[in-house]
Amino acid sequence: QKLIHLLQATDDPLIQEQALISLSNSAAFSVNQDIIRNMDGLSVIGGMISNSIPKVKEKALNALNNLSMNIKNQEEIQVFITQVCRTVESAPLNSDVQLAGLRLLTNMSVTSDYHQKMINSIPCFLHLLSEGTEKTQIQVLKVLVNLSANPATTRHLLRAQV
């Protein structure tokens, strides 16, 4: 609760980064995932995606990634998918922010529930597949494999302009 309040109360990027790291680490335990959600932590952390400091943005994406291992959390995190896709598209190629966003999208695309929110980013994913480093390519492939398991996304995958 104090970490979530601290995130809301400070503009200091170093404090924000450390609070997000702590929340991310605590989210490794399923009981904490529920607690963070019940304290409105997902929306607070999600709000940090728009932070202009790359390290803060990355740590927010990492925290959401850990929190997304819970179905109830995914239901709340899904409101940030479009913003995460935009972040992946606008982040420097192969950056930590881009990789953190792709990891979150991988978790959020395991089921087909939120694929529709990602299909507009398929051209970006394909671009990253051809231009990214091996780390980036692996993360993009995980997202694309998840999307390809859904027949409703086949048309979008095949028609994407690269």
Side-chain angles (χ1 to χ4, degrees), residues 6 23 60 66-67 107 109 112 138 153:
L6 186 61
L23 285 165
N66 287 350
L67 289 160
N107 281 349
S109 64
S112 61
I138 288 169
T153 62

Side-chain angles (χ1 to χ4, degrees), residues 18 25 28 78 95 98 108 146 155:
Q18 291 305 309
N25 290 341
Q78 60 95 15
S95 66
Q98 192 172 63
M108 294 300 293
N146 289 345
R155 177 174 52 102

Side-chain angles (χ1 to χ4, degrees), residues 96-136:
D96 291 336
V97 169
Q98 192 172 63
L99 287 168
L102 288 168
R103 282 191 295 271
L104 174 56
L105 292 175
T106 299
N107 281 349
M108 294 300 293
S109 64
V110 169
T111 66
S112 61
D113 296 345
Y114 311 114
H115 286 183
Q116 196 64 30
K117 294 177 178 266
M118 298 179 203
I119 58 172
N120 290 336
S121 294
I122 289 173
C124 169
F125 299 151
L126 295 172
H127 171 75
L128 294 176
L129 187 59
S130 67
E131 298 296 321
T133 61
E134 186 176 334
K135 269 183 167 178
T136 301

